[in-house]
Amino acid sequence: MDLSFENKRKARKGRVLIADPFSDDEYFGRSVVYLCEHNEEGSFGFVLNNYIDLKLEEVAKNFPKLNTKVSIGGPVRTENIYFIHTIGDAIPDSQLVEDGIYLGGDYDTLLQMIDEKKVSAKQVRFFLGYSGWKKEQLQTEIKEHAWIVGSVLNSGEIMDVSIDDLWTHYMRRQGKKYDILAKFPKDINVN
């Protein structure tokens, strides 16, 4: 059986990138990246499944308590906190990505809404840093089979931090051939 794959889907904002199952990349191996932008200038997004073992209030000064996970969104600007949400225009300066998911907005408004219990953990995701690609870099990586462009997901799936093995979950959703690839161990020398 041929286990190679060819990306038939085009990268675009609102889609996920699923790392090649055979990648031994130290940072992006078995990662799932949500693309927030993809155009002729470049691309950026957030790794959805690279959680850290710290609470938001430990990472950000004066952050109200919110029971959620924080992810390392990528290797770029890891000293900054970024967020996506489903709150929409209630947070000024938010930018619609797709399917009810918004990028950023007024941070102070978000903090106030969390403090006033107007926002739940299911409505917002936080990231330290982001993943970025310069002009044509992502397209080159896709052609080299570093990434599988995933099918469109709904906002609930993107915002869900409770899925234990997100990479396997999304790989299996791509079809039978990918379901087989999802079962490959990280280290092929381990049986």
Side-chain angles (χ1 to χ4, degrees):
M1 172 184 261
D2 178 21
L3 293 178
S4 64
F5 58 87
E6 184 176 335
N7 287 282
K8 299 204 187 269
R9 294 184 195 100
K10 300 289 183 195
R12 64 174 171 82
K13 71 179 188 174
R15 287 236 166 127
V16 292
L17 302 173
I18 306 163
D20 169 353
F22 305 109
S23 172
D24 60 356
D25 185 282
E26 186 176 321
Y27 189 85
F28 287 111
R30 302 276 167 127
S31 66
V32 177
V33 178
Y34 178 65
L35 280 179
C36 293
E37 188 59 75
H38 177 72
N39 60 39
E40 63 280 349
E41 299 299 315
S43 308
F44 85 92
F46 301 106
V47 176
L48 297 175
N49 60 331
N50 190 3
Y51 301 113
I52 59 172
D53 196 24
L54 292 173
K55 294 180 177 19
L56 274 168
E57 54 269 22
E58 295 173 312
V59 175
K61 187 178 179 179
N62 300 323
F63 202 91
K65 187 173 175 106
L66 185 68
N67 188 19
T68 190
K69 294 179 181 178
V70 180
S71 298
I72 299 292
V76 183
R77 297 195 176 173
T78 56
E79 70 279 3
N80 293 335
I81 295 177
Y82 300 91
F83 62 98
I84 58 175
H85 58 87
T86 59
I87 303 160
D89 294 335
I91 299 180
D93 302 321
S94 297
Q95 298 174 358
L96 178 64
V97 176
E98 187 173 291
D99 191 33
I101 295 182
Y102 291 78
L103 172 64
D106 185 73
Y107 187 70
D108 293 329
T109 300
L110 175 65
L111 294 182
Q112 182 179 348
M113 291 176 77
I114 292 171
D115 194 42
E116 294 172 356
K117 309 280 189 257
K118 293 180 180 177
V119 173
S120 75
K122 292 182 179 184
Q123 294 175 287
V124 64
R125 285 198 66 170
F126 295 93
F127 306 92
L128 292 175
Y130 67 90
S131 301
W133 294 266
K134 62 186 177 187
K135 182 178 182 175
E136 298 182 22
Q137 181 183 4
L138 180 56
Q139 287 307 112
T140 300
E141 290 181 16
I142 291 169
K143 286 177 188 170
E144 294 172 350
H145 304 292
W147 298 103
I148 298 163
V149 179
S151 55
V152 176
L153 306 171
N154 67 48
S155 60
E157 292 173 301
I158 298 297
M159 302 304 289
D160 190 349
V161 297
S162 69
I163 301 171
D164 287 330
D165 188 350
L166 196 65
W167 181 86
T168 300
H169 175 79
Y170 286 158
M171 277 292 284
R172 288 183 170 156
R173 291 202 44 200
Q174 306 314 305
K176 186 175 182 175
K177 184 178 197 176
Y178 296 97
D179 182 46
I180 293 167
L181 291 171
K183 294 175 184 172
F184 270 71
K186 285 183 185 180
D187 182 352
I188 60 172
N189 296 316
V190 176
N191 287 327

